[in-house]
PDB file of all heavy atoms in Angstrom:
ATOM      1  N   VAL A   7      -5.920  31.342  24.028  1.00 97.00           N
ATOM      2  CA  VAL A   7      -6.206  32.055  25.280  1.00 97.00           C
ATOM      3  C   VAL A   7      -7.538  32.806  25.183  1.00 97.00           C
ATOM      4  O   VAL A   7      -8.324  32.829  26.134  1.00 97.00           O
ATOM      5  CB  VAL A   7      -5.045  33.020  25.620  1.00 97.00           C
ATOM      6  CG1 VAL A   7      -5.429  33.978  26.738  1.00 97.00           C
ATOM      7  CG2 VAL A   7      -3.821  32.223  26.022  1.00 97.00           C
ATOM      8  N   LYS A   8      -7.823  33.400  24.033  1.00 96.00           N
ATOM      9  CA  LYS A   8      -9.115  34.079  23.848  1.00 96.00           C
ATOM     10  C   LYS A   8     -10.267  33.082  23.942  1.00 96.00           C
ATOM     11  O   LYS A   8     -11.330  33.387  24.508  1.00 96.00           O
ATOM     12  CB  LYS A   8      -9.148  34.800  22.500  1.00 96.00           C
ATOM     13  CG  LYS A   8      -8.272  36.048  22.459  1.00 96.00           C
ATOM     14  CD  LYS A   8      -8.338  36.719  21.097  1.00 96.00           C
ATOM     15  CE  LYS A   8      -7.541  38.009  21.072  1.00 96.00           C
ATOM     16  NZ  LYS A   8      -7.567  38.662  19.733  1.00 96.00           N
ATOM     17  N   LEU A   9     -10.057  31.898  23.392  1.00 95.00           N
ATOM     18  CA  LEU A   9     -11.074  30.849  23.472  1.00 95.00           C
ATOM     19  C   LEU A   9     -11.288  30.415  24.923  1.00 95.00           C
ATOM     20  O   LEU A   9     -12.424  30.285  25.386  1.00 95.00           O
ATOM     21  CB  LEU A   9     -10.655  29.656  22.609  1.00 95.00           C
ATOM     22  CG  LEU A   9     -11.511  28.389  22.710  1.00 95.00           C
ATOM     23  CD1 LEU A   9     -12.945  28.656  22.269  1.00 95.00           C
ATOM     24  CD2 LEU A   9     -10.905  27.264  21.873  1.00 95.00           C
ATOM     25  N   LEU A  10     -10.205  30.210  25.659  1.00 96.00           N
ATOM     26  CA  LEU A  10     -10.314  29.789  27.057  1.00 96.00           C
ATOM     27  C   LEU A  10     -10.912  30.896  27.926  1.00 96.00           C
ATOM     28  O   LEU A  10     -11.609  30.620  28.908  1.00 96.00           O
ATOM     29  CB  LEU A  10      -8.948  29.380  27.599  1.00 96.00           C
ATOM     30  CG  LEU A  10      -8.285  28.170  26.920  1.00 96.00           C
ATOM     31  CD1 LEU A  10      -7.032  27.757  27.679  1.00 96.00           C
ATOM     32  CD2 LEU A  10      -9.249  26.987  26.801  1.00 96.00           C
ATOM     33  N   PHE A  11     -10.657  32.143  27.565  1.00 97.00           N
ATOM     34  CA  PHE A  11     -11.281  33.266  28.282  1.00 97.00           C
ATOM     35  C   PHE A  11     -12.796  33.208  28.119  1.00 97.00           C
ATOM     36  O   PHE A  11     -13.559  33.396  29.077  1.00 97.00           O
ATOM     37  CB  PHE A  11     -10.737  34.596  27.745  1.00 97.00           C
ATOM     38  CG  PHE A  11     -11.331  35.807  28.397  1.00 97.00           C
ATOM     39  CD1 PHE A  11     -10.796  36.308  29.577  1.00 97.00           C
ATOM     40  CD2 PHE A  11     -12.421  36.455  27.837  1.00 97.00           C
ATOM     41  CE1 PHE A  11     -11.345  37.435  30.189  1.00 97.00           C
ATOM     42  CE2 PHE A  11     -12.978  37.575  28.439  1.00 97.00           C
ATOM     43  CZ  PHE A  11     -12.435  38.064  29.621  1.00 97.00           C
ATOM     44  N   TYR A  12     -13.239  32.932  26.885  1.00 95.00           N
ATOM     45  CA  TYR A  12     -14.685  32.800  26.646  1.00 95.00           C
ATOM     46  C   TYR A  12     -15.270  31.623  27.443  1.00 95.00           C
ATOM     47  O   TYR A  12     -16.329  31.750  28.066  1.00 95.00           O
ATOM     48  CB  TYR A  12     -14.977  32.607  25.159  1.00 95.00           C
ATOM     49  CG  TYR A  12     -16.437  32.303  24.909  1.00 95.00           C
ATOM     50  CD1 TYR A  12     -17.380  33.320  24.922  1.00 95.00           C
ATOM     51  CD2 TYR A  12     -16.883  30.987  24.710  1.00 95.00           C
ATOM     52  CE1 TYR A  12     -18.732  33.050  24.735  1.00 95.00           C
ATOM     53  CE2 TYR A  12     -18.221  30.710  24.530  1.00 95.00           C
ATOM     54  CZ  TYR A  12     -19.138  31.747  24.542  1.00 95.00           C
ATOM     55  OH  TYR A  12     -20.472  31.473  24.372  1.00 95.00           O
ATOM     56  N   LEU A  13     -14.574  30.489  27.432  1.00 94.00           N
ATOM     57  CA  LEU A  13     -15.075  29.316  28.163  1.00 94.00           C
ATOM     58  C   LEU A  13     -15.159  29.593  29.667  1.00 94.00           C
ATOM     59  O   LEU A  13     -16.066  29.128  30.345  1.00 94.00           O
ATOM     60  CB  LEU A  13     -14.181  28.109  27.897  1.00 94.00           C
ATOM     61  CG  LEU A  13     -14.168  27.555  26.474  1.00 94.00           C
ATOM     62  CD1 LEU A  13     -13.218  26.367  26.370  1.00 94.00           C
ATOM     63  CD2 LEU A  13     -15.572  27.145  26.023  1.00 94.00           C
ATOM     64  N   ALA A  14     -14.208  30.354  30.194  1.00 95.00           N
ATOM     65  CA  ALA A  14     -14.201  30.658  31.626  1.00 95.00           C
ATOM     66  C   ALA A  14     -15.335  31.589  32.024  1.00 95.00           C
ATOM     67  O   ALA A  14     -15.798  31.569  33.168  1.00 95.00           O
ATOM     68  CB  ALA A  14     -12.862  31.273  32.021  1.00 95.00           C
ATOM     69  N   HIS A  15     -15.799  32.403  31.059  1.00 95.00           N
ATOM     70  CA  HIS A  15     -16.839  33.407  31.357  1.00 95.00           C
ATOM     71  C   HIS A  15     -18.102  33.178  30.532  1.00 95.00           C
ATOM     72  O   HIS A  15     -18.855  34.120  30.288  1.00 95.00           O
ATOM     73  CB  HIS A  15     -16.289  34.806  31.082  1.00 95.00           C
ATOM     74  CG  HIS A  15     -15.072  35.151  31.887  1.00 95.00           C
ATOM     75  ND1 HIS A  15     -15.119  35.460  33.225  1.00 95.00           N
ATOM     76  CD2 HIS A  15     -13.759  35.209  31.540  1.00 95.00           C
ATOM     77  CE1 HIS A  15     -13.893  35.716  33.674  1.00 95.00           C
ATOM     78  NE2 HIS A  15     -13.052  35.566  32.667  1.00 95.00           N
ATOM     79  N   SER A  16     -18.348  31.960  30.113  1.00 93.00           N
ATOM     80  CA  SER A  16     -19.492  31.682  29.241  1.00 93.00           C
ATOM     81  C   SER A  16     -20.818  31.863  29.989  1.00 93.00           C
ATOM     82  O   SER A  16     -20.863  31.789  31.217  1.00 93.00           O
ATOM     83  CB  SER A  16     -19.399  30.250  28.692  1.00 93.00           C
ATOM     84  OG  SER A  16     -19.966  29.336  29.608  1.00 93.00           O
ATOM     85  N   PRO A  17     -21.918  32.095  29.262  1.00 93.00           N
ATOM     86  CA  PRO A  17     -23.234  32.229  29.898  1.00 93.00           C
ATOM     87  C   PRO A  17     -23.652  30.974  30.664  1.00 93.00           C
ATOM     88  O   PRO A  17     -24.483  31.047  31.566  1.00 93.00           O
ATOM     89  CB  PRO A  17     -24.170  32.474  28.703  1.00 93.00           C
ATOM     90  CG  PRO A  17     -23.295  33.007  27.621  1.00 93.00           C
ATOM     91  CD  PRO A  17     -21.978  32.346  27.809  1.00 93.00           C
ATOM     92  N   LEU A  18     -23.060  29.834  30.323  1.00 91.00           N
ATOM     93  CA  LEU A  18     -23.407  28.582  31.006  1.00 91.00           C
ATOM     94  C   LEU A  18     -22.585  28.370  32.282  1.00 91.00           C
ATOM     95  O   LEU A  18     -22.816  27.420  33.026  1.00 91.00           O
ATOM     96  CB  LEU A  18     -23.165  27.391  30.063  1.00 91.00           C
ATOM     97  CG  LEU A  18     -23.977  27.368  28.767  1.00 91.00           C
ATOM     98  CD1 LEU A  18     -23.525  26.208  27.888  1.00 91.00           C
ATOM     99  CD2 LEU A  18     -25.459  27.273  29.073  1.00 91.00           C
TER     100      LEU A  18
END
Side-chain angles (χ1 to χ4, degrees):
V7 168
K8 288 180 176 179
L9 172 62
L10 297 188
F11 179 86
Y12 173 78
L13 293 179
H15 301 285
S16 86
L18 299 174

